[in-house]
Amino acid sequence: MSSPTTNRVALVTGGSGGIGRAVAERLARDGIAVAIHYAGRKEKADETVQAITAEGGRAIAVGGDVADEAAMATAFDAVESAFGGLDVVVHTAGIMVLSPIATLDLNDLDRVHRTNIRGTFVVDQQAARRVREGGAIVNFSTSVTRTQLPTYGAYVASKAAVESLTLILARELRGRDVTVNAVAPGPTATPLFLDGKDENTVDRFAKATPLERLGQPGDIAETVAFLAGPARWVNGQVLFANGGLA
C-alpha cells in the first residue's frame, strides 16, 4: 500500500467481513483513513484494522447496533475524534432472512426491517449531519429488487425502502456537494449469500449472469470506491453491480 495521499476519512458499517471488509481495504488503498464498524464481531473488525495498518493504512474499529441512534452517534463521534472529520459513509451492514411470504415468522420480518430499514435511516441521518463538503454516502440494496426471487420478500421489501431513502436523501442534501447513491449487488460469494445453498444452487446463480460467475467482494468494492471518490457527477442513483444479471 502506498503512503496516504488524502485526508479523507470513511466509515464502513459491517466492515468486519464479506463485502464490508473488501470495501474498507479498497478505500484504504486509496489513502483514505477507515473506521471499521462492527455489531458483534470485534475480533473480525480488529483483523481488518490490522490488515490495513500492516500495509501502511490508517484504520480503527468502532462498534454499535446500527439501529440504535445513541450507539451510532457514539460511533460517529469516535471516528471524528480519531481522524478529525468524516467524508465517506458506506453502509453495508444488513441481515437477510429467506422464507415464503405466506409462512414468514413476523418476528423475523421485524428483525430484518429493524436492521435494514431503521439501521439505514439511523446511519444516513448521522451521515447527513456530519459528512463534509465533497463527501459521499453509499447505501446497499440488492439486485433481487429486479429479479424478484421467491422467498426474498422480507429482504427485498427492506432494500426497496433503502433505495427510496437513498434517492430522497440525495435531493435533501442539495447544495451540500455530498453525493448519495446505492449499490445493488448481484449474487456475490460471501457467507451471507452462500449460507444454506447447495452446490447446484450456487452454480445456477453463477450461470445466470452473462459473465457466468459469482461476483467477488472485490468487484463490489471497486464500485463503492468509484462512488466514494471520482464519481462526483453520479448522484441519487442505484448502481446494479451484478455482472449483467437481468
PDB file of all heavy atoms in Angstrom, residues 92-129:
ATOM      1  N   THR A  92     -22.889  -0.958   4.610  1.00  0.00           N
ATOM      2  CA  THR A  92     -23.073  -2.323   4.096  1.00  0.00           C
ATOM      3  C   THR A  92     -23.807  -3.225   5.074  1.00  0.00           C
ATOM      4  O   THR A  92     -24.260  -4.300   4.691  1.00  0.00           O
ATOM      5  CB  THR A  92     -21.720  -2.986   3.760  1.00  0.00           C
ATOM      6  OG1 THR A  92     -21.073  -3.433   4.956  1.00  0.00           O
ATOM      7  CG2 THR A  92     -20.810  -2.057   2.980  1.00  0.00           C
ATOM      8  N   ALA A  93     -23.927  -2.825   6.330  1.00  0.00           N
ATOM      9  CA  ALA A  93     -24.496  -3.695   7.360  1.00  0.00           C
ATOM     10  C   ALA A  93     -25.946  -4.039   7.042  1.00  0.00           C
ATOM     11  O   ALA A  93     -26.744  -3.168   6.692  1.00  0.00           O
ATOM     12  CB  ALA A  93     -24.407  -3.018   8.725  1.00  0.00           C
ATOM     13  N   GLY A  94     -26.278  -5.317   7.161  1.00  0.00           N
ATOM     14  CA  GLY A  94     -27.648  -5.752   6.920  1.00  0.00           C
ATOM     15  C   GLY A  94     -27.787  -7.232   7.215  1.00  0.00           C
ATOM     16  O   GLY A  94     -26.794  -7.949   7.357  1.00  0.00           O
ATOM     17  N   ILE A  95     -29.028  -7.686   7.310  1.00  0.00           N
ATOM     18  CA  ILE A  95     -29.290  -9.099   7.528  1.00  0.00           C
ATOM     19  C   ILE A  95     -30.301  -9.575   6.490  1.00  0.00           C
ATOM     20  O   ILE A  95     -31.031  -8.780   5.893  1.00  0.00           O
ATOM     21  CB  ILE A  95     -29.808  -9.393   8.948  1.00  0.00           C
ATOM     22  CG1 ILE A  95     -31.162  -8.706   9.195  1.00  0.00           C
ATOM     23  CG2 ILE A  95     -28.778  -8.979   9.987  1.00  0.00           C
ATOM     24  CD1 ILE A  95     -31.806  -9.108  10.511  1.00  0.00           C
ATOM     25  N   MET A  96     -30.342 -10.911   6.296  1.00  0.00           N
ATOM     26  CA  MET A  96     -31.257 -11.493   5.323  1.00  0.00           C
ATOM     27  C   MET A  96     -31.896 -12.742   5.915  1.00  0.00           C
ATOM     28  O   MET A  96     -31.199 -13.623   6.416  1.00  0.00           O
ATOM     29  CB  MET A  96     -30.508 -11.840   4.035  1.00  0.00           C
ATOM     30  CG  MET A  96     -31.365 -12.458   2.952  1.00  0.00           C
ATOM     31  SD  MET A  96     -30.504 -12.534   1.345  1.00  0.00           S
ATOM     32  CE  MET A  96     -29.138 -13.630   1.736  1.00  0.00           C
ATOM     33  N   VAL A  97     -33.209 -12.800   5.874  1.00  0.00           N
ATOM     34  CA  VAL A  97     -33.969 -13.980   6.267  1.00  0.00           C
ATOM     35  C   VAL A  97     -34.813 -14.382   5.073  1.00  0.00           C
ATOM     36  O   VAL A  97     -35.569 -13.560   4.533  1.00  0.00           O
ATOM     37  CB  VAL A  97     -34.874 -13.694   7.482  1.00  0.00           C
ATOM     38  CG1 VAL A  97     -35.739 -14.903   7.789  1.00  0.00           C
ATOM     39  CG2 VAL A  97     -34.034 -13.315   8.696  1.00  0.00           C
ATOM     40  N   LEU A  98     -34.681 -15.640   4.628  1.00  0.00           N
ATOM     41  CA  LEU A  98     -35.408 -16.115   3.458  1.00  0.00           C
ATOM     42  C   LEU A  98     -36.568 -17.003   3.884  1.00  0.00           C
ATOM     43  O   LEU A  98     -36.400 -17.928   4.678  1.00  0.00           O
ATOM     44  CB  LEU A  98     -34.477 -16.888   2.529  1.00  0.00           C
ATOM     45  CG  LEU A  98     -33.258 -16.125   2.008  1.00  0.00           C
ATOM     46  CD1 LEU A  98     -32.466 -16.996   1.042  1.00  0.00           C
ATOM     47  CD2 LEU A  98     -33.660 -14.820   1.347  1.00  0.00           C
ATOM     48  N   SER A  99     -37.733 -16.729   3.327  1.00  0.00           N
ATOM     49  CA  SER A  99     -38.933 -17.516   3.616  1.00  0.00           C
ATOM     50  C   SER A  99     -40.037 -17.079   2.671  1.00  0.00           C
ATOM     51  O   SER A  99     -40.124 -15.897   2.316  1.00  0.00           O
ATOM     52  CB  SER A  99     -39.383 -17.289   5.068  1.00  0.00           C
ATOM     53  OG  SER A  99     -40.674 -17.843   5.293  1.00  0.00           O
ATOM     54  N   PRO A 100     -40.913 -18.008   2.251  1.00  0.00           N
ATOM     55  CA  PRO A 100     -42.104 -17.571   1.530  1.00  0.00           C
ATOM     56  C   PRO A 100     -42.909 -16.588   2.379  1.00  0.00           C
ATOM     57  O   PRO A 100     -42.947 -16.705   3.612  1.00  0.00           O
ATOM     58  CB  PRO A 100     -42.881 -18.871   1.310  1.00  0.00           C
ATOM     59  CG  PRO A 100     -41.855 -19.956   1.389  1.00  0.00           C
ATOM     60  CD  PRO A 100     -40.848 -19.474   2.398  1.00  0.00           C
ATOM     61  N   ILE A 101     -43.536 -15.640   1.735  1.00  0.00           N
ATOM     62  CA  ILE A 101     -44.315 -14.639   2.457  1.00  0.00           C
ATOM     63  C   ILE A 101     -45.396 -15.301   3.297  1.00  0.00           C
ATOM     64  O   ILE A 101     -45.659 -14.895   4.434  1.00  0.00           O
ATOM     65  CB  ILE A 101     -44.914 -13.630   1.458  1.00  0.00           C
ATOM     66  CG1 ILE A 101     -43.784 -12.793   0.829  1.00  0.00           C
ATOM     67  CG2 ILE A 101     -45.938 -12.716   2.136  1.00  0.00           C
ATOM     68  CD1 ILE A 101     -44.225 -11.947  -0.355  1.00  0.00           C
ATOM     69  N   ALA A 102     -45.999 -16.338   2.783  1.00  0.00           N
ATOM     70  CA  ALA A 102     -47.116 -16.979   3.478  1.00  0.00           C
ATOM     71  C   ALA A 102     -46.720 -17.605   4.806  1.00  0.00           C
ATOM     72  O   ALA A 102     -47.559 -17.742   5.704  1.00  0.00           O
ATOM     73  CB  ALA A 102     -47.756 -18.049   2.582  1.00  0.00           C
ATOM     74  N   THR A 103     -45.444 -17.974   4.940  1.00  0.00           N
ATOM     75  CA  THR A 103     -45.021 -18.689   6.148  1.00  0.00           C
ATOM     76  C   THR A 103     -43.975 -17.946   6.969  1.00  0.00           C
ATOM     77  O   THR A 103     -43.484 -18.478   7.963  1.00  0.00           O
ATOM     78  CB  THR A 103     -44.467 -20.081   5.783  1.00  0.00           C
ATOM     79  OG1 THR A 103     -43.388 -19.926   4.851  1.00  0.00           O
ATOM     80  CG2 THR A 103     -45.554 -20.948   5.166  1.00  0.00           C
ATOM     81  N   LEU A 104     -43.633 -16.723   6.567  1.00  0.00           N
ATOM     82  CA  LEU A 104     -42.601 -15.982   7.291  1.00  0.00           C
ATOM     83  C   LEU A 104     -43.047 -15.677   8.720  1.00  0.00           C
ATOM     84  O   LEU A 104     -44.165 -15.196   8.944  1.00  0.00           O
ATOM     85  CB  LEU A 104     -42.294 -14.667   6.564  1.00  0.00           C
ATOM     86  CG  LEU A 104     -41.263 -13.753   7.238  1.00  0.00           C
ATOM     87  CD1 LEU A 104     -39.881 -14.373   7.216  1.00  0.00           C
ATOM     88  CD2 LEU A 104     -41.244 -12.378   6.584  1.00  0.00           C
ATOM     89  N   ASP A 105     -42.188 -15.941   9.676  1.00  0.00           N
ATOM     90  CA  ASP A 105     -42.414 -15.541  11.064  1.00  0.00           C
ATOM     91  C   ASP A 105     -42.329 -14.012  11.121  1.00  0.00           C
ATOM     92  O   ASP A 105     -41.313 -13.428  10.751  1.00  0.00           O
ATOM     93  CB  ASP A 105     -41.347 -16.183  11.949  1.00  0.00           C
ATOM     94  CG  ASP A 105     -41.572 -15.926  13.429  1.00  0.00           C
ATOM     95  OD1 ASP A 105     -42.067 -14.838  13.786  1.00  0.00           O
ATOM     96  OD2 ASP A 105     -41.232 -16.813  14.240  1.00  0.00           O
ATOM     97  N   LEU A 106     -43.369 -13.364  11.606  1.00  0.00           N
ATOM     98  CA  LEU A 106     -43.390 -11.908  11.620  1.00  0.00           C
ATOM     99  C   LEU A 106     -42.339 -11.312  12.553  1.00  0.00           C
ATOM    100  O   LEU A 106     -41.949 -10.156  12.376  1.00  0.00           O
ATOM    101  CB  LEU A 106     -44.782 -11.399  11.986  1.00  0.00           C
ATOM    102  CG  LEU A 106     -45.860 -11.689  10.936  1.00  0.00           C
ATOM    103  CD1 LEU A 106     -47.198 -11.109  11.374  1.00  0.00           C
ATOM    104  CD2 LEU A 106     -45.468 -11.161   9.568  1.00  0.00           C
ATOM    105  N   ASN A 107     -41.869 -12.094  13.503  1.00  0.00           N
ATOM    106  CA  ASN A 107     -40.746 -11.633  14.322  1.00  0.00           C
ATOM    107  C   ASN A 107     -39.491 -11.480  13.472  1.00  0.00           C
ATOM    108  O   ASN A 107     -38.690 -10.567  13.679  1.00  0.00           O
ATOM    109  CB  ASN A 107     -40.486 -12.597  15.479  1.00  0.00           C
ATOM    110  CG  ASN A 107     -41.566 -12.532  16.536  1.00  0.00           C
ATOM    111  OD1 ASN A 107     -42.109 -11.468  16.817  1.00  0.00           O
ATOM    112  ND2 ASN A 107     -41.898 -13.672  17.116  1.00  0.00           N
ATOM    113  N   ASP A 108     -39.326 -12.393  12.496  1.00  0.00           N
ATOM    114  CA  ASP A 108     -38.198 -12.268  11.572  1.00  0.00           C
ATOM    115  C   ASP A 108     -38.365 -11.055  10.667  1.00  0.00           C
ATOM    116  O   ASP A 108     -37.395 -10.356  10.341  1.00  0.00           O
ATOM    117  CB  ASP A 108     -38.058 -13.534  10.716  1.00  0.00           C
ATOM    118  CG  ASP A 108     -37.501 -14.707  11.511  1.00  0.00           C
ATOM    119  OD1 ASP A 108     -36.793 -14.466  12.506  1.00  0.00           O
ATOM    120  OD2 ASP A 108     -37.770 -15.860  11.131  1.00  0.00           O
ATOM    121  N   LEU A 109     -39.603 -10.787  10.250  1.00  0.00           N
ATOM    122  CA  LEU A 109     -39.857  -9.586   9.455  1.00  0.00           C
ATOM    123  C   LEU A 109     -39.444  -8.335  10.220  1.00  0.00           C
ATOM    124  O   LEU A 109     -38.772  -7.447   9.684  1.00  0.00           O
ATOM    125  CB  LEU A 109     -41.341  -9.506   9.095  1.00  0.00           C
ATOM    126  CG  LEU A 109     -41.781  -8.254   8.326  1.00  0.00           C
ATOM    127  CD1 LEU A 109     -41.180  -8.229   6.929  1.00  0.00           C
ATOM    128  CD2 LEU A 109     -43.302  -8.168   8.275  1.00  0.00           C
ATOM    129  N   ASP A 110     -39.842  -8.271  11.495  1.00  0.00           N
ATOM    130  CA  ASP A 110     -39.488  -7.111  12.311  1.00  0.00           C
ATOM    131  C   ASP A 110     -37.981  -6.986  12.472  1.00  0.00           C
ATOM    132  O   ASP A 110     -37.426  -5.873  12.457  1.00  0.00           O
ATOM    133  CB  ASP A 110     -40.144  -7.219  13.688  1.00  0.00           C
ATOM    134  CG  ASP A 110     -41.654  -7.064  13.635  1.00  0.00           C
ATOM    135  OD1 ASP A 110     -42.165  -6.551  12.624  1.00  0.00           O
ATOM    136  OD2 ASP A 110     -42.324  -7.469  14.609  1.00  0.00           O
ATOM    137  N   ARG A 111     -37.300  -8.124  12.615  1.00  0.00           N
ATOM    138  CA  ARG A 111     -35.852  -8.110  12.803  1.00  0.00           C
ATOM    139  C   ARG A 111     -35.139  -7.611  11.548  1.00  0.00           C
ATOM    140  O   ARG A 111     -34.217  -6.791  11.624  1.00  0.00           O
ATOM    141  CB  ARG A 111     -35.384  -9.520  13.171  1.00  0.00           C
ATOM    142  CG  ARG A 111     -33.932  -9.647  13.562  1.00  0.00           C
ATOM    143  CD  ARG A 111     -33.699 -10.950  14.312  1.00  0.00           C
ATOM    144  NE  ARG A 111     -34.065 -12.111  13.532  1.00  0.00           N
ATOM    145  CZ  ARG A 111     -33.228 -12.758  12.708  1.00  0.00           C
ATOM    146  NH1 ARG A 111     -31.978 -12.338  12.577  1.00  0.00           N
ATOM    147  NH2 ARG A 111     -33.631 -13.820  12.040  1.00  0.00           N
ATOM    148  N   VAL A 112     -35.584  -8.102  10.385  1.00  0.00           N
ATOM    149  CA  VAL A 112     -34.994  -7.661   9.120  1.00  0.00           C
ATOM    150  C   VAL A 112     -35.217  -6.167   8.923  1.00  0.00           C
ATOM    151  O   VAL A 112     -34.300  -5.416   8.560  1.00  0.00           O
ATOM    152  CB  VAL A 112     -35.584  -8.453   7.934  1.00  0.00           C
ATOM    153  CG1 VAL A 112     -35.185  -7.815   6.601  1.00  0.00           C
ATOM    154  CG2 VAL A 112     -35.113  -9.898   7.978  1.00  0.00           C
ATOM    155  N   HIS A 113     -36.434  -5.721   9.189  1.00  0.00           N
ATOM    156  CA  HIS A 113     -36.732  -4.317   8.947  1.00  0.00           C
ATOM    157  C   HIS A 113     -36.051  -3.405   9.965  1.00  0.00           C
ATOM    158  O   HIS A 113     -35.673  -2.276   9.620  1.00  0.00           O
ATOM    159  CB  HIS A 113     -38.248  -4.100   8.923  1.00  0.00           C
ATOM    160  CG  HIS A 113     -38.873  -4.597   7.648  1.00  0.00           C
ATOM    161  ND1 HIS A 113     -40.121  -4.237   7.233  1.00  0.00           N
ATOM    162  CD2 HIS A 113     -38.388  -5.419   6.675  1.00  0.00           C
ATOM    163  CE1 HIS A 113     -40.393  -4.810   6.070  1.00  0.00           C
ATOM    164  NE2 HIS A 113     -39.365  -5.539   5.719  1.00  0.00           N
ATOM    165  N   ARG A 114     -35.869  -3.890  11.188  1.00  0.00           N
ATOM    166  CA  ARG A 114     -35.173  -3.067  12.185  1.00  0.00           C
ATOM    167  C   ARG A 114     -33.736  -2.809  11.743  1.00  0.00           C
ATOM    168  O   ARG A 114     -33.252  -1.667  11.796  1.00  0.00           O
ATOM    169  CB  ARG A 114     -35.189  -3.728  13.558  1.00  0.00           C
ATOM    170  CG  ARG A 114     -34.518  -2.867  14.628  1.00  0.00           C
ATOM    171  CD  ARG A 114     -34.512  -3.542  15.992  1.00  0.00           C
ATOM    172  NE  ARG A 114     -34.017  -2.614  17.002  1.00  0.00           N
ATOM    173  CZ  ARG A 114     -32.737  -2.364  17.227  1.00  0.00           C
ATOM    174  NH1 ARG A 114     -31.807  -2.996  16.521  1.00  0.00           N
ATOM    175  NH2 ARG A 114     -32.373  -1.499  18.160  1.00  0.00           N
ATOM    176  N   THR A 115     -33.055  -3.858  11.322  1.00  0.00           N
ATOM    177  CA  THR A 115     -31.659  -3.690  10.905  1.00  0.00           C
ATOM    178  C   THR A 115     -31.546  -2.982   9.562  1.00  0.00           C
ATOM    179  O   THR A 115     -30.765  -2.031   9.403  1.00  0.00           O
ATOM    180  CB  THR A 115     -30.955  -5.053  10.833  1.00  0.00           C
ATOM    181  OG1 THR A 115     -30.938  -5.644  12.139  1.00  0.00           O
ATOM    182  CG2 THR A 115     -29.525  -4.908  10.332  1.00  0.00           C
ATOM    183  N   ASN A 116     -32.323  -3.417   8.591  1.00  0.00           N
ATOM    184  CA  ASN A 116     -32.121  -2.944   7.221  1.00  0.00           C
ATOM    185  C   ASN A 116     -32.768  -1.594   6.934  1.00  0.00           C
ATOM    186  O   ASN A 116     -32.204  -0.795   6.178  1.00  0.00           O
ATOM    187  CB  ASN A 116     -32.627  -3.981   6.224  1.00  0.00           C
ATOM    188  CG  ASN A 116     -31.813  -5.269   6.249  1.00  0.00           C
ATOM    189  OD1 ASN A 116     -30.856  -5.396   7.015  1.00  0.00           O
ATOM    190  ND2 ASN A 116     -32.190  -6.231   5.446  1.00  0.00           N
ATOM    191  N   ILE A 117     -33.945  -1.338   7.500  1.00  0.00           N
ATOM    192  CA  ILE A 117     -34.594  -0.054   7.255  1.00  0.00           C
ATOM    193  C   ILE A 117     -34.239   0.955   8.346  1.00  0.00           C
ATOM    194  O   ILE A 117     -33.678   2.012   8.068  1.00  0.00           O
ATOM    195  CB  ILE A 117     -36.125  -0.205   7.152  1.00  0.00           C
ATOM    196  CG1 ILE A 117     -36.494  -1.118   5.981  1.00  0.00           C
ATOM    197  CG2 ILE A 117     -36.779   1.166   6.960  1.00  0.00           C
ATOM    198  CD1 ILE A 117     -37.983  -1.366   5.835  1.00  0.00           C
ATOM    199  N   ARG A 118     -34.575   0.642   9.588  1.00  0.00           N
ATOM    200  CA  ARG A 118     -34.240   1.585  10.662  1.00  0.00           C
ATOM    201  C   ARG A 118     -32.732   1.807  10.723  1.00  0.00           C
ATOM    202  O   ARG A 118     -32.257   2.939  10.898  1.00  0.00           O
ATOM    203  CB  ARG A 118     -34.765   1.088  12.010  1.00  0.00           C
ATOM    204  CG  ARG A 118     -34.443   2.038  13.165  1.00  0.00           C
ATOM    205  CD  ARG A 118     -34.865   1.447  14.510  1.00  0.00           C
ATOM    206  NE  ARG A 118     -34.355   2.259  15.605  1.00  0.00           N
ATOM    207  CZ  ARG A 118     -35.018   3.264  16.170  1.00  0.00           C
ATOM    208  NH1 ARG A 118     -36.234   3.591  15.756  1.00  0.00           N
ATOM    209  NH2 ARG A 118     -34.474   3.950  17.160  1.00  0.00           N
ATOM    210  N   GLY A 119     -31.945   0.734  10.565  1.00  0.00           N
ATOM    211  CA  GLY A 119     -30.492   0.869  10.605  1.00  0.00           C
ATOM    212  C   GLY A 119     -29.978   1.805   9.531  1.00  0.00           C
ATOM    213  O   GLY A 119     -29.110   2.650   9.789  1.00  0.00           O
ATOM    214  N   THR A 120     -30.501   1.676   8.318  1.00  0.00           N
ATOM    215  CA  THR A 120     -30.094   2.583   7.246  1.00  0.00           C
ATOM    216  C   THR A 120     -30.516   4.010   7.557  1.00  0.00           C
ATOM    217  O   THR A 120     -29.755   4.965   7.337  1.00  0.00           O
ATOM    218  CB  THR A 120     -30.704   2.139   5.905  1.00  0.00           C
ATOM    219  OG1 THR A 120     -30.249   0.813   5.604  1.00  0.00           O
ATOM    220  CG2 THR A 120     -30.306   3.076   4.776  1.00  0.00           C
ATOM    221  N   PHE A 121     -31.729   4.182   8.078  1.00  0.00           N
ATOM    222  CA  PHE A 121     -32.209   5.528   8.408  1.00  0.00           C
ATOM    223  C   PHE A 121     -31.318   6.173   9.468  1.00  0.00           C
ATOM    224  O   PHE A 121     -30.922   7.337   9.341  1.00  0.00           O
ATOM    225  CB  PHE A 121     -33.656   5.464   8.904  1.00  0.00           C
ATOM    226  CG  PHE A 121     -34.395   6.761   8.792  1.00  0.00           C
ATOM    227  CD1 PHE A 121     -35.312   6.979   7.776  1.00  0.00           C
ATOM    228  CD2 PHE A 121     -34.158   7.792   9.689  1.00  0.00           C
ATOM    229  CE1 PHE A 121     -35.982   8.191   7.661  1.00  0.00           C
ATOM    230  CE2 PHE A 121     -34.809   9.004   9.586  1.00  0.00           C
ATOM    231  CZ  PHE A 121     -35.736   9.209   8.568  1.00  0.00           C
ATOM    232  N   VAL A 122     -30.984   5.409  10.512  1.00  0.00           N
ATOM    233  CA  VAL A 122     -30.151   5.941  11.589  1.00  0.00           C
ATOM    234  C   VAL A 122     -28.768   6.328  11.062  1.00  0.00           C
ATOM    235  O   VAL A 122     -28.258   7.424  11.345  1.00  0.00           O
ATOM    236  CB  VAL A 122     -30.027   4.924  12.735  1.00  0.00           C
ATOM    237  CG1 VAL A 122     -28.927   5.319  13.718  1.00  0.00           C
ATOM    238  CG2 VAL A 122     -31.359   4.779  13.469  1.00  0.00           C
ATOM    239  N   VAL A 123     -28.145   5.446  10.291  1.00  0.00           N
ATOM    240  CA  VAL A 123     -26.801   5.725   9.761  1.00  0.00           C
ATOM    241  C   VAL A 123     -26.847   6.898   8.791  1.00  0.00           C
ATOM    242  O   VAL A 123     -26.000   7.801   8.838  1.00  0.00           O
ATOM    243  CB  VAL A 123     -26.211   4.468   9.091  1.00  0.00           C
ATOM    244  CG1 VAL A 123     -24.926   4.811   8.339  1.00  0.00           C
ATOM    245  CG2 VAL A 123     -25.928   3.395  10.141  1.00  0.00           C
ATOM    246  N   ASP A 124     -27.836   6.921   7.916  1.00  0.00           N
ATOM    247  CA  ASP A 124     -27.949   8.033   6.965  1.00  0.00           C
ATOM    248  C   ASP A 124     -28.215   9.358   7.673  1.00  0.00           C
ATOM    249  O   ASP A 124     -27.732  10.414   7.238  1.00  0.00           O
ATOM    250  CB  ASP A 124     -29.068   7.750   5.959  1.00  0.00           C
ATOM    251  CG  ASP A 124     -28.639   6.812   4.848  1.00  0.00           C
ATOM    252  OD1 ASP A 124     -27.505   6.299   4.896  1.00  0.00           O
ATOM    253  OD2 ASP A 124     -29.444   6.592   3.921  1.00  0.00           O
ATOM    254  N   GLN A 125     -28.989   9.313   8.735  1.00  0.00           N
ATOM    255  CA  GLN A 125     -29.273  10.538   9.488  1.00  0.00           C
ATOM    256  C   GLN A 125     -27.991  11.122  10.067  1.00  0.00           C
ATOM    257  O   GLN A 125     -27.725  12.332   9.951  1.00  0.00           O
ATOM    258  CB  GLN A 125     -30.280  10.239  10.594  1.00  0.00           C
ATOM    259  CG  GLN A 125     -30.785  11.460  11.342  1.00  0.00           C
ATOM    260  CD  GLN A 125     -31.875  11.099  12.333  1.00  0.00           C
ATOM    261  OE1 GLN A 125     -31.597  10.456  13.344  1.00  0.00           O
ATOM    262  NE2 GLN A 125     -33.101  11.498  12.040  1.00  0.00           N
ATOM    263  N   GLN A 126     -27.177  10.268  10.679  1.00  0.00           N
ATOM    264  CA  GLN A 126     -25.899  10.730  11.207  1.00  0.00           C
ATOM    265  C   GLN A 126     -24.989  11.215  10.083  1.00  0.00           C
ATOM    266  O   GLN A 126     -24.325  12.256  10.202  1.00  0.00           O
ATOM    267  CB  GLN A 126     -25.216   9.611  11.995  1.00  0.00           C
ATOM    268  CG  GLN A 126     -25.867   9.280  13.318  1.00  0.00           C
ATOM    269  CD  GLN A 126     -25.741  10.412  14.324  1.00  0.00           C
ATOM    270  OE1 GLN A 126     -24.741  11.128  14.349  1.00  0.00           O
ATOM    271  NE2 GLN A 126     -26.755  10.591  15.162  1.00  0.00           N
ATOM    272  N   ALA A 127     -24.967  10.470   8.970  1.00  0.00           N
ATOM    273  CA  ALA A 127     -24.113  10.850   7.843  1.00  0.00           C
ATOM    274  C   ALA A 127     -24.532  12.201   7.276  1.00  0.00           C
ATOM    275  O   ALA A 127     -23.688  13.052   6.966  1.00  0.00           O
ATOM    276  CB  ALA A 127     -24.171   9.776   6.763  1.00  0.00           C
ATOM    277  N   ALA A 128     -25.840  12.422   7.148  1.00  0.00           N
ATOM    278  CA  ALA A 128     -26.339  13.683   6.595  1.00  0.00           C
ATOM    279  C   ALA A 128     -25.937  14.869   7.463  1.00  0.00           C
ATOM    280  O   ALA A 128     -25.731  15.981   6.958  1.00  0.00           O
ATOM    281  CB  ALA A 128     -27.856  13.620   6.452  1.00  0.00           C
ATOM    282  N   ARG A 129     -25.823  14.640   8.752  1.00  0.00           N
ATOM    283  CA  ARG A 129     -25.457  15.719   9.670  1.00  0.00           C
ATOM    284  C   ARG A 129     -23.953  15.990   9.679  1.00  0.00           C
ATOM    285  O   ARG A 129     -23.526  17.087  10.043  1.00  0.00           O
ATOM    286  CB  ARG A 129     -25.903  15.366  11.088  1.00  0.00           C
ATOM    287  CG  ARG A 129     -27.415  15.285  11.270  1.00  0.00           C
ATOM    288  CD  ARG A 129     -27.765  14.680  12.612  1.00  0.00           C
ATOM    289  NE  ARG A 129     -29.213  14.635  12.829  1.00  0.00           N
ATOM    290  CZ  ARG A 129     -29.806  14.020  13.865  1.00  0.00           C
ATOM    291  NH1 ARG A 129     -29.058  13.397  14.767  1.00  0.00           N
ATOM    292  NH2 ARG A 129     -31.117  14.028  13.978  1.00  0.00           N
TER     293      ARG A 129
END
